[in-house]
Amino acid sequence: MKLNQLKAVPGSTREPKRIGRGYGSGTGKTAGKGHKGQKARAGRGQRPGFEGGQMPLQRRIPKRGFNNIFAKEIVSLNVGVLNRFEDGAVVDAAALMESGILKNIGDGVKILGSGEMKKKLTVKATAFSEAAKAKIEAAGGKAEVI
């Protein structure tokens, strides 16, 4: 089959509506635009958000805050969640994704100190809180900053 032999599936396309072709067509004379007014004119239409000259909503609402476009999205995770892994396992971002604990890594993973660490794990992450680092090392594991 060649590109010039392609055809649309029957019923998937319609003939274009032929407007302004006599009153017998159903869309003659005013061509379905009604009588006069802004919507009947050629080149009509307003930009999105135009409210007829009234101050538009996006300009009436006050601006608040600041959005830092350079901010890094660090995903946080508590130490207690890491007990799912087996003793001696190496826990890194890929392992967390594979186990279903995290859905996305963002720009890095930070381990926080909430919960108890019961297993000896080697944890590799972007950052650790002091409490998390202490709990991992107290359980006999390692906390490695990537």
Side-chain angles (χ1 to χ4, degrees):
M1 177 165 278
K2 296 183 178 120
L3 286 175
N4 66 330
Q5 295 172 334
L6 289 175
K7 283 187 179 172
V9 179
S12 67
T13 58
R14 285 182 171 180
E15 290 295 315
K17 186 190 280 189
R18 298 186 72 227
I19 55 174
R21 294 292 182 271
Y23 60 84
S25 68
T27 52
K29 194 185 172 204
T30 54
K33 290 174 177 268
H35 291 279
K36 300 187 184 173
Q38 187 176 17
K39 293 181 180 178
R41 311 291 183 202
R44 75 155 189 103
Q46 304 91 4
R47 66 185 173 278
F50 182 69
E51 297 183 19
Q54 172 178 305
M55 187 61 66
L57 182 68
Q58 70 270 21
R59 292 188 61 198
R60 290 198 303 266
I61 294 176
K63 286 179 15 178
R64 291 252 316 139
F66 170 75
N67 189 18
N68 185 2
I69 60 169
F70 301 107
K72 293 202 180 336
E73 185 190 338
I74 305 292
V75 180
S76 59
L77 189 68
N78 284 313
V79 159
V81 180
L82 301 178
N83 290 317
R84 290 190 196 178
F85 293 96
E86 295 176 20
D87 258 339
V90 176
V91 179
D92 58 354
L96 291 167
M97 291 273 286
E98 195 174 302
S99 66
I101 294 171
L102 293 180
K103 287 189 170 60
N104 70 324
I105 299 166
D107 294 316
V109 178
K110 181 172 183 174
I111 308 296
L112 303 177
S114 180
E116 284 186 50
M117 191 70 179
K118 298 173 183 169
K119 302 203 175 160
K120 182 180 174 182
L121 300 172
T122 303
V123 184
K124 296 180 179 182
T126 312
F128 294 89
S129 69
E130 289 297 318
K133 198 169 194 176
K135 285 182 182 182
I136 291 168
E137 288 168 358
K142 278 186 190 174
E144 295 179 16
V145 177
I146 301 173

